[in-house]
Amino acid sequence: MEERPWLERRATEQLLRTAGLALASLLFLPLLVFTAVATLMVVGAGALPETVLLLRRVAGFKRREVERWTGEAVPELYVPLVGDLGVRVRTAVGDPGTYRDLRWLAVHFLYGWLLACAALVVWVFGVLVDGVWCGVLGRRAVVLPLVGRLADLDSAWSRALLEPSADARRSAELADRVEELTATRADAVAAHGAELRRIERDLHDGTQARLVALSMRVGLARRAYETDPDAARRLLDDAQEQVEEALVELRHVVRGIHPPILTDRGLVGAVRALAAGSGLDVEVTEEGIEDGPRPPAAVEAAAYFAVAESLTNAAKHSGSRRARVELARTPRALRVSVRDEGKGGADESRGSGLLGVRRRTAALDGIVQMSSPAGGPTVIEVELPCVW
């Protein structure tokens, strides 16, 4: 709780700044008239965007004043003034925020001076009345606290005039959502392209090369079969080894696309298999995953790869021998948390693993959060939207 004299001084300063801003509002009027005339004459249309920017700064100052007094920010929604002159002029004229600020500017001139004059009257009577009431009788002040009420009125009226409408907020949220989805789609396309290139590289450099060598050995064995059966058998033995190696590489490629263990054992079983083969002492807990229907295959795969990448990073870089994996079902999502007690300080910019996890998760409209302070622990949390 603030001391009364300090509160009343702050309120008085707030109202004095309000009076100064009201005076600035009056001085702003000739600039508005000049801008309107210049814009109608076309040759001075360039003044319109600059005047609107100045108006936004004045309104922004008032928003900060309101936030300073109330502790609650006043939302600020404007359409950016970018592009060539014609686009900027059309944006300035069509932005609802411009008319909202003009309305506030006109009304603020009236109530700003009114509240400042009222505060002056309150101080005059407060010094006389509360000086006797408090100094002689030892009672609490009754007049001077009204200064704070006047500052409350100033903030409430300014907030009501400057705060965007519900429609404007919904439009801004929709625009932000569209922008977010556009970026997410671009990341998903990039991740898909990178995955295709990886599969193509694995097939070309590994499996295809082995199959070509296999074809050559079978051909040599076939030609040597009549003249040198022993050499033909050796070539066939080599060919069999290459077939087995090619099958191993094909299984590796397939596991990179969608691990078969996910299909066979489900997410919890696949994660426990990952934990067993990670080289760490990993504790796996699940909450509600095995009690209901399985999540979609894409969600399972994203969760699996997030755990795999997190455990790989923990084994390589954390210096810890223990980790904990938590899988949890929520009404609208699947949550994954991987924690290690290592040295911390993880930097996702030094590798592509976590970036791949972010892209996979973003493609499903999910969220990835990492906390890794120096000294640990490192915690990676993934939330994937899922309708069960």
Side-chain angles (χ1 to χ4, degrees):
M1 184 69 102
E2 294 184 83
E3 295 292 334
R4 295 306 310 181
W6 170 244
L7 180 63
E8 286 143 14
R9 191 180 77 178
R10 278 191 60 216
T12 303
E13 293 173 352
Q14 169 89 2
L15 292 171
L16 287 176
R17 287 192 292 269
T18 296
L21 198 56
L23 178 60
S25 303
L26 179 62
L27 299 177
F28 208 84
L29 181 60
L31 178 60
L32 292 176
V33 174
F34 168 78
T35 301
V37 173
T39 303
L40 291 175
M41 294 175 64
V42 179
V43 293
L48 179 60
E50 301 304 320
T51 302
V52 170
L53 286 175
L54 181 59
L55 177 61
R56 291 181 179 183
R57 294 190 186 99
V58 173
F61 175 80
K62 187 60 184 180
R63 287 188 176 91
R64 291 189 295 273
E65 286 291 303
V66 173
E67 181 180 2
R68 188 180 296 113
W69 176 253
T70 63
E72 297 180 8
V74 181
E76 182 178 287
L77 296 179
Y78 293 118
V79 180
L81 296 180
V82 294
D84 57 32
L85 179 59
V87 173
R88 296 174 68 205
V89 170
R90 288 193 295 271
T91 301
V93 173
D95 184 7
T98 301
Y99 303 99
R100 184 170 59 245
D101 290 349
L102 286 172
R103 180 187 61 186
W104 163 79
L105 193 71
V107 179
H108 180 265
F109 172 72
L110 300 175
Y111 73 76
W113 278 107
L114 178 64
L115 292 176
C117 293
L120 180 61
V121 173
V122 168
W123 267 104
V124 172
F125 280 96
V127 169
L128 295 175
V129 175
D130 290 340
V132 176
W133 187 255
C134 301
V136 177
L137 301 179
R139 304 295 182 86
R140 298 188 61 175
V142 294
V143 178
L144 287 178
L146 295 177
V147 178
R149 301 288 182 86
L150 294 175
D152 290 338
L153 279 177
D154 172 53
S155 297
W157 291 345
S158 298
R159 181 182 295 276
L161 290 168
L162 289 173
E163 198 166 38
S165 64
D167 290 340
R169 287 191 181 186
R170 283 193 293 268
S171 298
E173 290 171 358
L174 180 60
D176 291 342
R177 182 60 175 158
V178 169
E179 184 176 351
E180 178 185 351
L181 290 176
T182 300
T184 299
R185 183 180 64 180
D187 285 344
V189 171
H192 180 67
E195 190 72 7
L196 287 178
R197 288 191 296 273
R198 182 191 66 80
I199 294 170
E200 181 182 8
R201 184 176 61 252
D202 290 346
L203 291 175
H204 181 272
D205 297 343
T207 308
Q208 178 177 297
R210 294 191 182 279
L211 290 176
V212 170
L214 172 64
S215 176
M216 293 175 62
R217 288 186 180 277
V218 170
L220 291 172
R222 201 174 158 189
R223 284 195 293 271
Y225 184 75
E226 296 294 337
T227 58
D228 191 353
D230 292 335
R233 279 193 291 271
R234 288 195 298 272
L235 289 171
L236 288 174
D237 289 340
D238 291 342
Q240 183 176 6
E241 291 180 2
Q242 289 187 342
V243 167
E244 292 173 354
E245 291 174 355
L247 287 174
V248 170
E249 290 185 353
L250 277 175
R251 292 190 189 101
H252 177 74
V253 173
V254 170
R255 281 196 298 270
I257 300 172
H258 185 83
I261 194 171
L262 270 178
T263 304
D264 298 338
R265 298 174 58 180
L267 178 60
V268 176
V271 168
R272 284 179 174 148
L274 267 179
S278 67
L280 300 173
D281 181 10
V282 182
E283 178 186 0
V284 179
T285 63
E286 66 88 18
E287 183 179 343
I289 304 294
E290 295 183 320
D291 297 336
R294 291 179 59 171
V299 174
E300 275 192 337
Y304 176 85
F305 283 116
V307 174
E309 183 61 35
S310 301
L311 290 179
T312 299
N313 289 341
K316 286 183 178 179
H317 308 297
S318 72
S320 174
R321 304 305 304 166
R322 304 186 62 184
R324 178 182 177 87
V325 178
E326 297 179 358
L327 306 172
R329 173 203 297 260
T330 67
R332 306 292 295 178
L334 169 66
R335 289 182 179 172
V336 179
S337 174
V338 182
R339 175 189 178 106
D340 69 71
E341 303 296 335
K343 59 186 179 182
D347 183 2
E348 61 181 283
S349 64
R350 292 184 298 183
S352 60
L354 189 57
L355 178 60
V357 172
R358 288 192 182 279
R359 284 178 169 173
R360 281 181 179 270
T361 305
L364 300 174
D365 206 18
I367 300 171
V368 178
Q369 293 181 328
M370 183 180 73
S371 172
S372 184
T378 296
V379 181
I380 297 176
E381 296 180 333
V382 178
E383 182 172 316
L384 296 160
C386 180
V387 179
W388 304 89

